[in-house]
Amino acid sequence: MSDALARPAATGASAPPRANAVVAVLALAGIVVSLMQTLVIPIVPELPKLLDASASNTAWAVTATLLAASVATPVVGRLGDMFGKRRMLLVSIVLLVSGSVVCALADSLVPMIIGRGLQGLAAAVVPLGISIMRDALPADRLAGSTALMSASLGVGGALGLPAAAFIADKWDWHLLFWVSAALGALAFLLVLMVVPESKVRTGGRFDLVGSIGLSAGLVSLLLAVSKGGDWGWTSATTLGLGIGSVVILLAWGRWELKARQPLVDLRTTARPQVLFTNLASVALGFSMFAMSLVLPQLLQLPEATGYGLGRSMLAVGLVLAPQGLVMMTMSAVSAAITKAKGPKLTLMIGALIVASGYALNIVLMSEVWHLVLVSCIIGAGIGFTYGAMPALIMGAVPASETAAANSLNTLMRSLGTSFASALAGVILAQMTTDFGGFALPSENGFKVVMAIGAGAALLAFLFASFIPKHRVTQPAVDGPAENKEVVAAKA
């Protein structure tokens, strides 16, 4: 019997409390948290004037969120396994609301960076929500619910961009963060009233040394990757941070292997199903960022360039908004394929759809409807992959480690996105065209980035092909997911 999918019997009531309401509330919380990723995009060009600071300094309003999320995601996931997933979910939402209020009151750079950092600390909400679903829902509801929860990341981002652009265009920019705070407060109250606390706990001591080591290694790595373009890729600061991150993470790995209660169970992480799913997540995170970078620029560049479409930021948001609806729709299809054929096939299908979307974008990029079509195709692929990855992770780890394992998988996607941002920035900075005395990214530069996005999706497909194939047999008796035993046998 697989210890990966077996749920302990002594974990609570015999029936899931208000399953539909639990799923809806957790998905809402995921959407609210994902909004913070696109919240500042419409005002990024205006931040130097709004905060009376240089463009390089105001970029920290984005970087701070990235760094905080990278630190919080694995740590909060582990704390959720130890002390309660719902408890840590509520803490994360409180941090989001606090950060939003700080940003809403900010008129200078330092409070804005602090507030954005607090918002980043809420990034573990989605993996925590997925883990709560494993403990609280019937097994036959789990695939569809986790797929919907995973899709909430993309849905919130896609729908948040036009809403944020509209608010920033019509009203004072501070309203963006007041709206974020209000939505966070609503999510907090709904979680408090609807979502049950799981009794599946690991207990034990928190690995403080491991958390400090992982945080230091990740921050050093992400600083080198995200700021290397500004500091210079061969500068002493960038190289020092890069080399330091490698040394710290190697030392951290040695510590985790020896620790009795590690922050991350590296032996479990090395299982083929977890390892190759995480590698595929890095590749997909890399691939998906290309769309976020290329499509908005193509839409906003002047038509006189010959390839730009000369649209406003609000139009950009409206073009990308259908992608979120497609992702939500595809989460249900993803769940159906996962139930019938397993999450490995779902992940592979999704990776191929993403790759095909980028390939199509190379030849279709001259009309607005071309970019709507491409974003929807890529969104469909993302809906498949986001639904499959948590299913694969939960199929290989004990229930007591679900939150930590899902959080690590989320972190892998974020790392892929960060690497893609750095590489795409270098490519577009090198492949430019002169437009009225200004250097703009060239059409070929965009095509190269899209080709790399397609290649990264194909790499994810390759990694997914190495995931061991299992046949999952669902028991006939209904009941909470944690009371079920699911047998996974080699096919």
Side-chain angles (χ1 to χ4, degrees), residues 266-311:
L266 293 180
R267 292 179 177 84
T268 298
T269 304
R271 293 176 182 174
Q273 184 160 323
V274 179
L275 175 63
F276 286 110
T277 301
N278 283 333
L279 289 174
S281 298
V282 174
L284 284 166
F286 190 104
S287 176
M288 289 183 291
F289 182 80
M291 176 191 62
S292 303
L293 181 69
V294 169
L295 298 192
Q297 291 196 60
L298 283 174
L299 284 162
Q300 289 184 280
L301 284 174
E303 290 184 88
T305 59
Y307 52 90
L309 299 176
R311 307 291 172 164

Short mmCIF file of all heavy atoms in Angstrom, two decimals, residues 266-311:
data_model
loop_
_atom_site.label_atom_id
_atom_site.label_comp_id
_atom_site.label_asym_id
_atom_site.label_seq_id
_atom_site.Cartn_x
_atom_site.Cartn_y
_atom_site.Cartn_z
N LEU A 266 14.58 15.93 2.07
CA LEU A 266 15.23 15.79 0.76
C LEU A 266 15.15 14.37 0.23
O LEU A 266 15.20 14.15 -0.98
CB LEU A 266 16.70 16.23 0.86
CG LEU A 266 16.91 17.73 1.14
CD1 LEU A 266 18.39 18.05 1.21
CD2 LEU A 266 16.23 18.58 0.07
N ARG A 267 15.03 13.40 1.11
CA ARG A 267 14.91 12.01 0.64
C ARG A 267 13.56 11.80 -0.05
O ARG A 267 13.48 11.12 -1.07
CB ARG A 267 15.10 11.04 1.81
CG ARG A 267 16.53 11.03 2.36
CD ARG A 267 16.71 10.08 3.53
NE ARG A 267 18.10 10.06 3.97
CZ ARG A 267 18.63 10.94 4.81
NH1 ARG A 267 17.87 11.91 5.31
NH2 ARG A 267 19.90 10.86 5.16
N THR A 268 12.52 12.39 0.51
CA THR A 268 11.22 12.33 -0.15
C THR A 268 11.24 13.13 -1.46
O THR A 268 10.70 12.70 -2.48
CB THR A 268 10.12 12.90 0.78
OG1 THR A 268 10.03 12.09 1.96
CG2 THR A 268 8.77 12.90 0.08
N THR A 269 11.91 14.28 -1.42
CA THR A 269 12.01 15.11 -2.61
C THR A 269 12.75 14.41 -3.74
O THR A 269 12.52 14.69 -4.92
CB THR A 269 12.72 16.44 -2.26
OG1 THR A 269 12.02 17.08 -1.19
CG2 THR A 269 12.77 17.38 -3.44
N ALA A 270 13.65 13.49 -3.38
CA ALA A 270 14.44 12.77 -4.39
C ALA A 270 13.67 11.61 -5.02
O ALA A 270 14.16 11.00 -5.98
CB ALA A 270 15.73 12.25 -3.77
N ARG A 271 12.48 11.28 -4.50
CA ARG A 271 11.69 10.24 -5.15
C ARG A 271 11.38 10.66 -6.59
O ARG A 271 11.06 11.82 -6.83
CB ARG A 271 10.38 10.02 -4.39
CG ARG A 271 10.54 9.43 -3.00
CD ARG A 271 9.20 9.34 -2.29
NE ARG A 271 9.35 8.82 -0.93
CZ ARG A 271 8.36 8.74 -0.05
NH1 ARG A 271 7.15 9.14 -0.39
NH2 ARG A 271 8.57 8.26 1.16
N PRO A 272 11.46 9.74 -7.53
CA PRO A 272 11.30 10.13 -8.94
C PRO A 272 10.04 10.93 -9.22
O PRO A 272 10.07 11.91 -9.98
CB PRO A 272 11.29 8.79 -9.68
CG PRO A 272 12.12 7.89 -8.81
CD PRO A 272 11.82 8.31 -7.39
N GLN A 273 8.92 10.56 -8.61
CA GLN A 273 7.67 11.26 -8.90
C GLN A 273 7.74 12.71 -8.43
O GLN A 273 7.24 13.62 -9.12
CB GLN A 273 6.49 10.55 -8.23
CG GLN A 273 5.14 11.18 -8.57
CD GLN A 273 3.98 10.23 -8.33
OE1 GLN A 273 4.10 9.04 -8.59
NE2 GLN A 273 2.88 10.75 -7.84
N VAL A 274 8.37 12.95 -7.28
CA VAL A 274 8.48 14.31 -6.77
C VAL A 274 9.57 15.07 -7.52
O VAL A 274 9.39 16.23 -7.92
CB VAL A 274 8.79 14.29 -5.26
CG1 VAL A 274 8.93 15.71 -4.72
CG2 VAL A 274 7.71 13.55 -4.49
N LEU A 275 10.71 14.43 -7.72
CA LEU A 275 11.85 15.07 -8.37
C LEU A 275 11.50 15.56 -9.77
O LEU A 275 11.72 16.72 -10.12
CB LEU A 275 13.03 14.10 -8.42
CG LEU A 275 14.27 14.59 -9.18
CD1 LEU A 275 14.85 15.82 -8.50
CD2 LEU A 275 15.32 13.48 -9.28
N PHE A 276 10.95 14.67 -10.60
CA PHE A 276 10.68 15.05 -11.98
C PHE A 276 9.48 16.00 -12.09
O PHE A 276 9.41 16.81 -13.02
CB PHE A 276 10.48 13.81 -12.85
CG PHE A 276 11.77 13.09 -13.13
CD1 PHE A 276 12.04 11.86 -12.56
CD2 PHE A 276 12.73 13.66 -13.95
CE1 PHE A 276 13.23 11.19 -12.80
CE2 PHE A 276 13.93 13.01 -14.21
CZ PHE A 276 14.18 11.77 -13.63
N THR A 277 8.55 15.92 -11.15
CA THR A 277 7.47 16.91 -11.13
C THR A 277 8.02 18.29 -10.81
O THR A 277 7.64 19.29 -11.44
CB THR A 277 6.39 16.52 -10.09
OG1 THR A 277 5.86 15.24 -10.41
CG2 THR A 277 5.26 17.54 -10.08
N ASN A 278 8.93 18.37 -9.85
CA ASN A 278 9.54 19.66 -9.51
C ASN A 278 10.40 20.20 -10.65
O ASN A 278 10.40 21.41 -10.92
CB ASN A 278 10.36 19.54 -8.23
CG ASN A 278 9.49 19.51 -6.98
OD1 ASN A 278 8.38 20.06 -6.97
ND2 ASN A 278 9.97 18.89 -5.92
N LEU A 279 11.13 19.31 -11.32
CA LEU A 279 11.92 19.77 -12.47
C LEU A 279 11.01 20.28 -13.58
O LEU A 279 11.30 21.30 -14.22
CB LEU A 279 12.80 18.63 -12.98
CG LEU A 279 13.97 18.22 -12.09
CD1 LEU A 279 14.67 16.98 -12.65
CD2 LEU A 279 14.97 19.37 -11.94
N ALA A 280 9.92 19.57 -13.82
CA ALA A 280 8.95 20.05 -14.81
C ALA A 280 8.35 21.39 -14.39
O ALA A 280 8.08 22.26 -15.24
CB ALA A 280 7.84 19.01 -15.00
N SER A 281 8.17 21.58 -13.09
CA SER A 281 7.62 22.85 -12.59
C SER A 281 8.57 24.01 -12.87
O SER A 281 8.14 25.11 -13.22
CB SER A 281 7.35 22.75 -11.08
OG SER A 281 6.39 21.76 -10.81
N VAL A 282 9.88 23.79 -12.68
CA VAL A 282 10.85 24.83 -12.99
C VAL A 282 10.77 25.21 -14.47
O VAL A 282 10.73 26.39 -14.83
CB VAL A 282 12.28 24.37 -12.64
CG1 VAL A 282 13.30 25.41 -13.08
CG2 VAL A 282 12.42 24.13 -11.14
N ALA A 283 10.73 24.18 -15.33
CA ALA A 283 10.67 24.43 -16.78
C ALA A 283 9.38 25.16 -17.17
O ALA A 283 9.38 26.08 -18.00
CB ALA A 283 10.80 23.12 -17.54
N LEU A 284 8.26 24.76 -16.56
CA LEU A 284 6.99 25.41 -16.88
C LEU A 284 6.94 26.85 -16.35
O LEU A 284 6.42 27.74 -17.01
CB LEU A 284 5.83 24.61 -16.30
CG LEU A 284 5.49 23.33 -17.08
CD1 LEU A 284 4.57 22.44 -16.27
CD2 LEU A 284 4.84 23.68 -18.42
N GLY A 285 7.50 27.07 -15.16
CA GLY A 285 7.58 28.42 -14.64
C GLY A 285 8.39 29.31 -15.56
O GLY A 285 8.04 30.47 -15.82
N PHE A 286 9.48 28.75 -16.08
CA PHE A 286 10.31 29.46 -17.05
C PHE A 286 9.50 29.77 -18.31
O PHE A 286 9.51 30.89 -18.81
CB PHE A 286 11.52 28.59 -17.41
CG PHE A 286 12.58 29.29 -18.21
CD1 PHE A 286 13.75 29.71 -17.61
CD2 PHE A 286 12.41 29.52 -19.56
CE1 PHE A 286 14.73 30.37 -18.34
CE2 PHE A 286 13.38 30.16 -20.31
CZ PHE A 286 14.55 30.59 -19.70
N SER A 287 8.79 28.77 -18.81
CA SER A 287 8.03 28.94 -20.04
C SER A 287 6.92 29.97 -19.90
O SER A 287 6.74 30.83 -20.77
CB SER A 287 7.44 27.59 -20.46
OG SER A 287 6.62 27.72 -21.59
N MET A 288 6.20 29.91 -18.80
CA MET A 288 5.01 30.76 -18.67
C MET A 288 5.35 32.23 -18.54
O MET A 288 4.55 33.10 -18.90
CB MET A 288 4.18 30.29 -17.49
CG MET A 288 3.49 28.95 -17.77
SD MET A 288 2.42 28.37 -16.45
CE MET A 288 3.60 27.96 -15.18
N PHE A 289 6.56 32.55 -18.05
CA PHE A 289 6.89 33.96 -17.91
C PHE A 289 7.06 34.62 -19.27
O PHE A 289 6.82 35.83 -19.41
CB PHE A 289 8.18 34.14 -17.11
CG PHE A 289 8.54 35.58 -16.90
CD1 PHE A 289 7.91 36.32 -15.91
CD2 PHE A 289 9.48 36.21 -17.70
CE1 PHE A 289 8.22 37.66 -15.73
CE2 PHE A 289 9.80 37.56 -17.52
CZ PHE A 289 9.16 38.28 -16.53
N ALA A 290 7.48 33.87 -20.28
CA ALA A 290 7.70 34.45 -21.60
C ALA A 290 6.43 35.14 -22.10
O ALA A 290 6.49 36.24 -22.67
CB ALA A 290 8.15 33.36 -22.58
N MET A 291 5.28 34.51 -21.89
CA MET A 291 4.02 35.11 -22.33
C MET A 291 3.75 36.40 -21.57
O MET A 291 3.34 37.41 -22.16
CB MET A 291 2.88 34.13 -22.11
CG MET A 291 1.51 34.69 -22.44
SD MET A 291 0.18 33.64 -21.88
CE MET A 291 0.46 33.66 -20.12
N SER A 292 3.99 36.39 -20.25
CA SER A 292 3.73 37.58 -19.43
C SER A 292 4.61 38.74 -19.84
O SER A 292 4.24 39.90 -19.67
CB SER A 292 3.98 37.24 -17.95
OG SER A 292 3.17 36.16 -17.55
N LEU A 293 5.79 38.45 -20.38
CA LEU A 293 6.71 39.50 -20.79
C LEU A 293 6.46 39.96 -22.22
O LEU A 293 6.45 41.16 -22.51
CB LEU A 293 8.15 39.00 -20.66
CG LEU A 293 9.24 39.99 -21.03
CD1 LEU A 293 9.30 41.11 -20.00
CD2 LEU A 293 10.59 39.30 -21.15
N VAL A 294 6.23 39.02 -23.14
CA VAL A 294 6.17 39.35 -24.56
C VAL A 294 4.84 39.98 -24.95
O VAL A 294 4.81 41.04 -25.62
CB VAL A 294 6.42 38.08 -25.41
CG1 VAL A 294 6.10 38.35 -26.88
CG2 VAL A 294 7.87 37.64 -25.27
N LEU A 295 3.72 39.36 -24.58
CA LEU A 295 2.43 39.84 -25.08
C LEU A 295 2.12 41.28 -24.67
O LEU A 295 1.69 42.08 -25.51
CB LEU A 295 1.32 38.90 -24.63
CG LEU A 295 1.41 37.45 -25.15
CD1 LEU A 295 0.10 36.71 -24.87
CD2 LEU A 295 1.73 37.40 -26.64
N PRO A 296 2.32 41.68 -23.39
CA PRO A 296 2.05 43.08 -23.06
C PRO A 296 2.91 44.07 -23.84
O PRO A 296 2.42 45.13 -24.25
CB PRO A 296 2.37 43.15 -21.55
CG PRO A 296 2.15 41.75 -21.06
CD PRO A 296 2.64 40.89 -22.18
N GLN A 297 4.18 43.72 -24.07
CA GLN A 297 5.04 44.64 -24.82
C GLN A 297 4.60 44.75 -26.28
O GLN A 297 4.59 45.85 -26.85
CB GLN A 297 6.50 44.19 -24.73
CG GLN A 297 7.09 44.35 -23.34
CD GLN A 297 8.61 44.29 -23.37
OE1 GLN A 297 9.27 45.07 -24.01
NE2 GLN A 297 9.16 43.32 -22.64
N LEU A 298 4.27 43.63 -26.89
CA LEU A 298 3.79 43.67 -28.27
C LEU A 298 2.54 44.52 -28.40
O LEU A 298 2.37 45.27 -29.36
CB LEU A 298 3.50 42.25 -28.78
CG LEU A 298 4.70 41.39 -29.16
CD1 LEU A 298 4.24 39.98 -29.49
CD2 LEU A 298 5.44 42.00 -30.36
N LEU A 299 1.66 44.41 -27.42
CA LEU A 299 0.42 45.18 -27.46
C LEU A 299 0.65 46.67 -27.27
O LEU A 299 -0.06 47.49 -27.85
CB LEU A 299 -0.54 44.66 -26.40
CG LEU A 299 -1.25 43.33 -26.73
CD1 LEU A 299 -1.81 42.69 -25.48
CD2 LEU A 299 -2.36 43.57 -27.75
N GLN A 300 1.66 47.04 -26.48
CA GLN A 300 1.85 48.44 -26.12
C GLN A 300 2.83 49.20 -27.02
O GLN A 300 2.78 50.42 -27.08
CB GLN A 300 2.32 48.54 -24.67
CG GLN A 300 1.23 48.20 -23.66
CD GLN A 300 1.71 48.42 -22.24
OE1 GLN A 300 2.41 47.58 -21.69
NE2 GLN A 300 1.34 49.54 -21.66
N LEU A 301 3.74 48.50 -27.68
CA LEU A 301 4.70 49.20 -28.54
C LEU A 301 3.98 49.94 -29.66
O LEU A 301 2.94 49.50 -30.15
CB LEU A 301 5.70 48.20 -29.12
CG LEU A 301 6.79 47.70 -28.17
CD1 LEU A 301 7.62 46.61 -28.84
CD2 LEU A 301 7.68 48.84 -27.72
N PRO A 302 4.53 51.08 -30.11
CA PRO A 302 3.85 51.88 -31.15
C PRO A 302 3.66 51.09 -32.45
O PRO A 302 4.51 50.27 -32.82
CB PRO A 302 4.82 53.05 -31.37
CG PRO A 302 5.64 53.13 -30.12
CD PRO A 302 5.76 51.72 -29.62
N GLU A 303 2.56 51.36 -33.11
CA GLU A 303 2.28 50.70 -34.38
C GLU A 303 3.34 51.04 -35.43
O GLU A 303 3.60 50.25 -36.35
CB GLU A 303 0.90 51.11 -34.89
CG GLU A 303 -0.25 50.55 -34.09
CD GLU A 303 -1.59 50.90 -34.70
OE1 GLU A 303 -2.06 50.13 -35.58
OE2 GLU A 303 -2.15 51.93 -34.31
N ALA A 304 3.97 52.20 -35.30
CA ALA A 304 4.97 52.63 -36.27
C ALA A 304 6.20 51.72 -36.30
O ALA A 304 6.97 51.76 -37.26
CB ALA A 304 5.40 54.06 -35.97
N THR A 305 6.37 50.91 -35.27
CA THR A 305 7.50 49.97 -35.28
C THR A 305 7.32 48.90 -36.34
O THR A 305 8.29 48.25 -36.76
CB THR A 305 7.66 49.29 -33.91
OG1 THR A 305 6.45 48.59 -33.59
CG2 THR A 305 7.96 50.30 -32.81
N GLY A 306 6.07 48.67 -36.75
CA GLY A 306 5.80 47.62 -37.73
C GLY A 306 5.34 46.32 -37.12
O GLY A 306 4.82 45.45 -37.82
N TYR A 307 5.52 46.17 -35.81
CA TYR A 307 5.06 44.94 -35.14
C TYR A 307 4.33 45.23 -33.82
O TYR A 307 3.65 44.38 -33.28
CB TYR A 307 6.24 43.99 -34.88
CG TYR A 307 7.42 44.63 -34.17
CD1 TYR A 307 7.51 44.64 -32.79
CD2 TYR A 307 8.44 45.24 -34.90
CE1 TYR A 307 8.58 45.23 -32.14
CE2 TYR A 307 9.51 45.84 -34.28
CZ TYR A 307 9.59 45.84 -32.89
OH TYR A 307 10.65 46.44 -32.26
N GLY A 308 4.47 46.46 -33.30
CA GLY A 308 3.71 46.83 -32.11
C GLY A 308 2.27 47.14 -32.48
O GLY A 308 1.95 47.45 -33.63
N LEU A 309 1.37 47.06 -31.49
CA LEU A 309 -0.06 47.25 -31.77
C LEU A 309 -0.61 48.54 -31.15
O LEU A 309 -1.79 48.84 -31.32
CB LEU A 309 -0.86 46.04 -31.27
CG LEU A 309 -0.48 44.71 -31.93
CD1 LEU A 309 -1.26 43.56 -31.32
CD2 LEU A 309 -0.73 44.77 -33.44
N GLY A 310 0.22 49.27 -30.39
CA GLY A 310 -0.15 50.60 -29.91
C GLY A 310 -1.36 50.65 -29.01
O GLY A 310 -2.16 51.58 -29.08
N ARG A 311 -1.51 49.67 -28.12
CA ARG A 311 -2.67 49.63 -27.24
C ARG A 311 -2.31 50.13 -25.84
O ARG A 311 -1.16 50.16 -25.43
CB ARG A 311 -3.22 48.21 -27.15
CG ARG A 311 -3.50 47.58 -28.50
CD ARG A 311 -4.67 48.24 -29.20
NE ARG A 311 -4.82 47.76 -30.57
CZ ARG A 311 -5.91 47.94 -31.30
NH1 ARG A 311 -6.95 48.56 -30.78
NH2 ARG A 311 -5.97 47.50 -32.54
#
